[in-house]
Amino acid sequence: MLVASFFALGRLWREARLEAGGNGRPLPELISRLLNGLAWPARVLALAALALVWMAAAIGDTNPLDNLAPVAIYVVFWVGGMAVSALVGDVWMAINPLDTLGRGVR
């Protein structure tokens, strides 16, 4: 069924129809300034959380029920990240700890 749906999309949908939608409306100025002010603290917090998960994975208990890393990765990151992104928008782009590391090195 999946292959049939991709085949149908490839044959029937010839021109781009969703590009003209744009990026939506801009946020009000006050909210935009507030979010910009919270960006770096959120990035630092995400970087600290990543370091904590790495440490738990590296030196934590080998029992997955007693270790923070599996819960953080599977529940918080995958399930929680998807739910927050569905409700709020692309949160990962704003707090990506690897991007924060890259910006810090640069």
Side-chain angles (χ1 to χ4, degrees), residues 43-95:
R43 283 180 170 274
V44 170
L45 184 64
L47 187 60
L50 177 67
L52 178 68
V53 170
W54 276 350
M55 291 296 292
I59 61 173
D61 197 337
T62 57
N63 182 359
L65 297 175
D66 294 332
N67 194 332
L68 170 73
V71 172
I73 292 170
Y74 293 123
V75 177
V76 176
F77 178 69
W78 281 355
V79 176
M82 292 295 184
V84 170
S85 290
L87 294 173
V88 177
D90 190 8
V91 175
W92 182 250
M93 188 172 165
I95 66 165

Side-chain angles (χ1 to χ4, degrees), residues 14-26:
R14 292 290 182 190
E15 70 277 349
R17 298 180 185 169
L18 300 177
E19 287 180 2
N23 292 332
R25 298 180 308 181

